[in-house]
């Protein structure tokens, strides 16, 4: 594992628990923090022992987004900030395409670049303190960490424009309804995220790779190419040894049925 200064990481069986650890700055994302995220998730991609990841945060804020003070003090040129944004894209791509399910255990503010980070996770779990916003308009800036793709996909273009123009905040059931998170738990988002990650970690790794990357890639394709890619992915995934065992278990009536409680 690469050295970590802004995060902690510990294994819980085959689930890696990553903790954003810059609470004194509300986990604001400096350039160095972004490099650390990129390196960590590059390592996750190559780590066969990690089957799922939970990302949580120390402190009352999940992530306050871009380190606005660093950005202000650095007085960056347009091209310098363009390169910073490309590093954000690389880091969040490394998360989304690490091949393992990544579950966010969210709390408090998930704003600006914090929402860009969270939108790279495959599953987002909110607790009653969690809220989502894109305050870029109020700060006189624009999203630069992938929100125009990932957040727009989650909530739709019109809602994203409203969030950016007005600073509208979503929380609670409304955040689930608009697609910012898939779960809202009355208790600890960490406990719920761990349950979800442990469950997803039981799927064959190749299936999880196909699910966590394939759907996003296919979403970028015209329908004909998408159908071709889907068939290709299914050809490989649905004939893997692990799926043969599971299908045999179904045939032998030893596998769990899909039943509603
Ligand atoms: C920060 C940052 C930050 C806090 N950059 N230092 N993001 C925002 O517009 C959100 C800005 N932050 C806030 O609105 C508030 O800090 C919070 C609502 C998140 C939390 O409030 P609170 O009362 O718990 O904390 P605080 O007192 O505001 O901040 C505590 C410390 O964290 C303080 O530092 P200190 O040294 O004075 O103690 C703050 O300066 C520091 N801090 N947030 C730097 N964001 C690729 S483009 C992405 C574009 C964006 O992300 S735009 C959204 C930016």
């Amino acid at each position: 594992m690469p050295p970590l200064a802004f995060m902690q990481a510990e294994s819980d069986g085959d689930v890696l628990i990553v903790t954003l650890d810059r609470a004194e700055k509300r986990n604001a994302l400096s350039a160095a923090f972004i490099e650390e995220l990129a390196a960590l998730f590059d390592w996750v991609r190559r780590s066969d022992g990690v089957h799922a990841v939970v990302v949580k945060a120390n402190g009352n804020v999940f992530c306050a987004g871009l380190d606005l003070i660093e950005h202000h003090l650095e007085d960056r040129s347009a091209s310098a900030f363009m390169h910073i944004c490309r590093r954000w894209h690389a880091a969040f791509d490394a998360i989304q395409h690490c091949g393992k399910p990544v579950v966010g255990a969210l709390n408090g503010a998930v704003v600006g670049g914090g929402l860009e980070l969270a939108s790279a996770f495959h599953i987002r779990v909110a607790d009653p303190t969690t809220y989502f916003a894109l305050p870029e308009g109020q700060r006189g800036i624009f999203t630069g960490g992938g929100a125009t793709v990932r957040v727009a996909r989650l909530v739709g273009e019109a809602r994203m424009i409203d969030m950016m123009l007005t600073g509208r905040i979503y929380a609670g059931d409304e955040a689930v309804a608009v697609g910012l998170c898939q779960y809202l738990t009355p208790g600890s988002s960490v406990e719920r995220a761990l349950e979800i990650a442990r469950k997803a970690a039981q799927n064959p790794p190749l299936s999880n790779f196909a699910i966590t990357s394939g759907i996003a890639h296919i979403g970028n394709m015209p329908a004909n190419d998408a159908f071709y890619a889907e068939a290709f992915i299914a050809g490989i995934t649905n004939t893997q040894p692990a799926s043969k065992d599971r299908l045999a278990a179904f045939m032998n009536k030893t596998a769990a049925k899909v039943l509603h409680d």
Side-chain angles (χ1 to χ4, degrees):
M1 190 182 297
L4 300 176
F6 300 102
M7 290 178 280
Q8 295 169 10
E10 54 171 323
S11 293
D12 177 287
D14 53 9
V15 176
L16 184 74
I17 303 174
V18 174
T19 306
L20 310 183
D21 191 22
R22 201 189 179 206
E24 71 286 1
K25 298 291 179 191
R26 304 305 183 256
N27 297 312
L29 297 169
S30 60
F33 199 155
I34 290 292
E35 291 305 326
E36 204 172 290
L37 276 165
L40 179 62
F41 278 89
D42 197 37
W43 176 84
V44 167
R45 182 174 53 76
R46 290 179 279 111
S47 298
D48 291 341
V50 177
H51 287 188
V53 181
V54 166
V55 182
K56 66 185 183 69
N58 275 341
N60 296 330
V61 167
F62 181 76
C63 179
L66 174 69
D67 187 325
L68 293 168
I69 295 175
E70 176 185 75
H71 180 64
H72 179 60
L73 294 178
E74 296 255 322
D75 197 20
R76 291 165 170 142
S77 66
S79 73
F81 194 64
M82 183 192 75
H83 287 298
I84 292 277
C85 291
R86 299 300 288 145
R87 294 305 298 154
W88 281 54
H89 295 151
F92 296 173
D93 258 11
I95 295 173
Q96 183 177 6
H97 297 299
C98 72
K100 327 285 165 84
V102 181
V103 185
L106 309 178
N107 67 301
V110 183
V111 301
L115 178 51
E116 297 187 292
L117 168 64
S119 66
F121 305 153
H122 305 104
I123 295 182
R124 284 160 294 283
V125 182
D127 75 10
T129 69
T130 306
Y131 63 94
F132 302 90
L134 291 173
E136 277 81 353
Q138 285 73 53
R139 302 280 181 227
I141 58 177
F142 190 71
T143 57
T148 52
V149 175
R150 295 196 181 93
V151 178
R153 277 189 176 182
L154 289 178
V155 303
E157 198 179 301
R159 248 185 217 113
M160 183 181 171
I161 290 174
D162 176 32
M163 289 174 79
M164 288 185 73
L165 288 178
T166 67
R168 180 170 179 169
I169 288 173
Y170 284 100
D173 290 330
E174 200 182 18
V176 180
V178 301
L180 284 163
C181 53
Q182 294 99 317
Y183 294 86
L184 171 65
T185 175
S188 155
S189 61
V190 177
E191 284 312 309
R192 191 78 184 94
L194 271 169
E195 281 170 25
I196 293 164
R198 287 186 191 121
K199 184 165 192 188
Q202 292 167 18
N203 303 330
L206 186 59
S207 297
N208 280 341
F209 176 50
I211 293 164
T212 54
S213 276
I215 295 166
H217 280 299
I218 283 174
N220 297 329
M221 297 177 188
N224 270 351
D225 295 335
F227 294 143
Y228 177 79
E230 184 189 66
F232 209 87
I233 296 170
I236 294 168
T237 310
N238 299 13
T239 56
Q240 63 177 311
S243 82
K244 287 196 172 83
D245 292 350
R246 288 169 188 238
L247 294 171
F250 180 77
M251 189 178 76
N252 298 333
K253 302 197 183 297
T254 54
K257 293 186 183 181
V258 183
L259 292 174
H260 192 251
D261 297 335

